[in-house]
Each structure stands twice: as C-alpha cells, then as structure tokens.
Amino acid sequence: DGGITQSPKYLFRKEGQNVTLSCEQNLNHDAMYWYRQDPGQGLRLIYYSQIVNDFQKGDIAEGYSVSREKKESFPLTVTSAQKNPTAFYLCASSISTFGRAQHFGDGTRLSIL
Amino acid sequence: DQQVKQNSPSLSVQEGRISILNCDYTNSMFDYFLWYKKYPAEGPTFLISISSIKDKNEDGRFTVFLNKSAKHLSLHIVPSQPGDSAVYFCAASAGGGSNYKLTFGKGTLLTVNP
C-alpha cells in the first residue's frame, strides 16, 4: 500500500535537546511538506521541498531544519532554538504537476519533558 | 494575517440532514481550494477540491461551491452521517508555475448526532 509513514507517533524531548522526526513516502511524489498543528489552530507550514536536495522555508521555519537527500525521505529536526516545540507535526507529499492535493501521514506528537 | 478563515469553530447537525461548512478567503491570488477531513490523532484526509474556473464540484455526498466575487466557499454534505463527525479544514493555494503551498483555515468541528 502506498502512503506516508511518520515515526514515532509520540516523542518526548528534554529541554535543550534536538530531536528528529521521520517522514517516509512511497507514493513517488516529488514534493514533501512539514506542518505544525496547535490546539484550535490550522496547519502552519514549516518547510517544504519540491525536489531532492532543495527545500524552502515556510511560514514558521525558525527553530527547525530539514534535509532532502532522497525522494522518499524528508526528516524534520526540531532544534533547541525552537521555543515552543510541543505540538502535533504532520508530514505531507504531493505530485509536482497540477492537482495540488497533499496526502498526509498520521502525525507525530512531540512533548517536552 | 489570516488569509483563510473558517469562522465557525463548531457545527452540530442531525443525521440525515445537510451539513454546510463555510470558508472565506482574502487573497485574490488563490485559485485552487481544497477541503480536508481530520479525525483526532490522525492526518488530514483529502475530500474534494475546486478550481477557480468552476463554481461547483460534486463527489458523492460532498459538494463544494465557490463564489469568487464574495471570496467564499462552502462544503455541503448530504445526507450527513455520524461517521462524518470530524474537523474539516478549508485550504487554498495560489497557482502559477510551481507554487505548491497550501494555506489552511483553523478548521470546523462537525458533530453529526444519530
């Protein structure tokens, strides 16, 4: 079955630590995205990548970093510079042509210990 | 500055009746609109979309209407079923070239009562 896999589902971080969230897709999609969702809020774009080895900042990129070394993978690192990292993180992907529906993984909930 | 607004945080309807979820946008460059459905602790699932060259798109029980002059779109679900209970997000994108970004509203929690 094709889809997007995010791991782990729940993640705990101590203050001052970096943590990396995994996102893998086998849909052969060119574009991948990371969003953050806070209670009562919509999805806010952190970073996106249209092709391998290229990525752009979204609306709330501060305190986050990404890499796109393979088409299938788009890991997100939440650094210690992110002041309020507790949130639900969603990864998505889409084909590069018109038809802009993005397909989402089931998310990772990050909490600070 | 919220470019996509869903002004109703919640909506409650009876099973079998129509559910109408509303969305307003401010960016006149948006030309493609999508609705997503989300259950707790899961990722959003794409429901239906509409291009700005159309004013209506149907898919089974779901119909999306677009009023460009009012910068307003709505999602109609008929008939509503208890399994439709979820948060519904409206999203929009501005086309041209390779713009892949979606801007999401804050969502509306739909509860369908048996």
Side-chain angles (χ1 to χ4, degrees), chain A residues 9-10 31 33 35 37 40-43 45 48 50 59 88 90 94-96 98-106, chain B residues 31-32 34 36 38 41-46 51 87 89 93-96 98-107:
Chain A
K9 194 157 183 72
Y10 299 95
Y33 315 79
Y35 293 89
Q37 187 189 15
Q41 300 291 320
L43 280 65
L45 183 64
Y48 65 105
Q50 298 178 4
D59 301 317
F88 190 51
L90 287 158
S94 67
I95 58 175
S96 61
F98 190 87
R100 299 171 225 171
Q102 295 177 13
H103 301 267
F104 285 82
D106 281 340
Chain B
D31 65 350
Y32 195 79
L34 307 91
Y36 283 85
K38 185 182 181 301
E42 293 184 9
T45 302
F46 169 71
S51 164
V87 176
F89 289 100
S93 88
S98 57
N99 189 328
Y100 302 92
K101 292 175 59 178
L102 292 181
T103 301
F104 284 83
K106 292 187 177 183

Side-chain angles (χ1 to χ4, degrees), chain B:
Chain B
D1 176 30
Q2 203 179 344
Q3 298 186 63
V4 177
K5 300 178 185 178
Q6 294 178 256
N7 292 320
S8 297
S10 63
L11 173 68
S12 183
V13 301
Q14 286 300 120
E15 182 178 5
R17 308 292 287 267
I18 185 171
S19 296
I20 301 176
L21 297 102
N22 294 303
C23 179
D24 297 294
Y25 61 96
T26 57
N27 188 341
S28 58
M29 298 301 292
F30 287 148
D31 65 350
Y32 195 79
F33 304 90
L34 307 91
W35 284 95
Y36 283 85
K37 173 181 178 180
K38 185 182 181 301
Y39 294 116
E42 293 184 9
T45 302
F46 169 71
L47 268 179
I48 192 169
S49 63
I50 188 167
S51 164
S52 59
I53 62 174
K54 295 184 174 182
D55 55 18
K56 177 182 174 181
N57 190 27
E58 278 183 86
D59 185 1
R61 296 187 297 115
F62 302 93
T63 303
V64 56
F65 296 91
L66 175 62
N67 182 335
K68 283 186 295 182
S69 61
K71 292 190 176 69
H72 176 84
L73 65 154
S74 60
L75 175 68
H76 293 211
I77 306 173
V78 181
S80 301
Q81 300 173 354
D84 295 329
S85 298
V87 176
Y88 288 78
F89 289 100
C90 171
S93 88
S98 57
N99 189 328
Y100 302 92
K101 292 175 59 178
L102 292 181
T103 301
F104 284 83
K106 292 187 177 183
T108 297
L109 174 62
L110 172 66
T111 302
V112 180
N113 300 304

